[in-house]
C-alpha cells in the first residue's frame, strides 16, 4: 500500500510540459476559460466596490450579507475556471488581464510559453524568473509549428 502512495505522489508532482504546437492548439479552449476568469474578476471588483459603498452609506445588514454572498459565489465560480486551467497544465498569472503561461522545455530547461487574452497566438516565451517583461519571440526557438488563432474558439 505504501508503494501506491509513493507512486501517486510522484505522478501528481510531475509538471505538464507543452510543445508550442500543443499549446497553440489548446488556445480556443484556454481563451474561453481565461475570458470567463477575467469577466468573473471584473464582476468581483464591482461587487466589492458596492459592498464598500453600502457599508459607508450605513446599509442594512441584510443588504451587505446579500452582496457578500454574491462575492463569494463569484469567487467560487472563478476558482472553478482556474482549476480548469490548472487541470490542463496552464498557469494563470494575472486574472485581471488574462495572462497565462504554458510550461515548456527549451534547450533542456523549463521555460514558459506566454499568452495574454486578446493575442492571436502564442508568439512569446520567457524564463521562469523573468515574467511578462522578459518575453522573447518563439520564432526560431521552438521550431516551425502551424499557428492556431485564439479567435477560432
Amino acid at each position: 500500500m505504501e508503494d501506491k502512495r509513493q507512486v501517486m505522489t510522484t505522478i501528481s508532482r510531475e509538471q505538464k510540459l507543452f510543445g508550442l504546437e500543443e499549446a497553440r492548439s489548446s488556445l480556443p479552449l484556454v481563451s474561453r476559460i481565461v475570458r470567463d476568469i477575467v469577466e468573473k474578476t471584473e464582476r468581483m471588483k464591482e461587487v466589492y466596490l458596492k459592498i464598500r459603498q453600502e457599508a459607508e452609506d450605513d446599509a442594512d445588514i441584510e443588504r451587505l450579507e446579500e452582496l457578500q454572498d454574491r462575492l463569494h459565489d463569484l469567487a467560487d465560480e472563478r476558482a472553478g475556471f482556474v482549476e480548469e486551467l490548472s487541470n490542463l497544465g496552464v498557469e494563470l498569472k494575472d486574472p485581471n488581464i488574462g495572462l497565462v503561461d504554458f510550461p515548456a522545455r527549451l534547450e533542456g530547461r523549463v521555460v514558459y510559453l506566454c499568452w495574454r487574452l486578446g493575442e492571436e497566438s502564442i508568439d512569446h516565451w520567457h524564463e521562469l524568473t523573468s515574467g511578462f517583461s522578459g518575453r522573447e519571440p518563439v520564432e526560431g526557438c521552438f521550431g516551425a509549428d502551424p499557428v492556431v488563432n485564439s479567435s477560432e474558439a
Side-chain angles (χ1 to χ4, degrees):
M1 187 68 160
E2 194 169 320
D3 290 335
K4 259 189 181 176
R5 278 182 279 176
Q6 185 177 6
V7 170
M8 289 181 70
T9 301
T10 302
I11 291 170
S12 66
R13 288 187 184 165
E14 288 181 17
Q15 180 181 37
K16 176 173 180 50
L17 297 177
F18 288 84
L20 182 56
E21 182 179 345
E22 179 187 13
R24 283 177 168 167
S25 69
S26 72
L27 272 185
L29 174 60
V30 169
S31 66
R32 285 192 299 269
I33 297 169
V34 170
R35 211 174 300 129
D36 289 336
I37 290 170
V38 170
E39 177 187 303
K40 294 297 178 194
T41 300
E42 185 59 37
R43 303 240 352 252
M44 288 171 65
K45 288 184 216 174
E46 293 168 3
V47 172
Y48 174 76
L49 291 174
K50 283 182 186 176
I51 290 171
R52 286 188 56 184
Q53 185 62 49
E54 295 282 341
E56 288 174 10
D57 293 343
D58 293 325
D60 66 87
I61 193 73
E62 286 178 20
R63 174 69 177 145
L64 288 173
E65 287 175 349
E66 176 185 310
L67 288 169
Q68 284 180 326
D69 288 345
R70 181 67 187 132
L71 183 60
H72 288 294
D73 290 346
L74 288 167
D76 288 345
E77 291 170 19
R78 185 179 75 173
F81 292 126
V82 172
E83 185 177 357
E84 276 186 70
L85 274 184
S86 181
N87 289 340
L88 294 172
V90 179
E91 299 180 21
L92 178 66
K93 298 300 179 175
D94 188 331
N96 295 297
I97 62 171
L99 183 63
V100 296
D101 284 336
F102 298 76
R105 186 169 305 284
L106 177 64
E107 298 173 354
R109 68 190 187 280
V110 176
V111 297
Y112 285 130
L113 295 168
C114 186
W115 180 79
R116 180 179 176 174
L117 188 63
E119 293 178 339
E120 289 295 316
S121 182
I122 298 173
D123 295 323
H124 298 91
W125 70 275
H126 61 81
E127 299 289 347
L128 298 181
T129 56
S130 66
F132 187 82
S133 63
R135 294 189 346 156
E136 300 283 338
V138 296
E139 190 174 312
C141 296
F142 290 88
D145 290 333
V147 175
V148 175
N149 290 330
S150 61
S151 61
E152 295 176 7

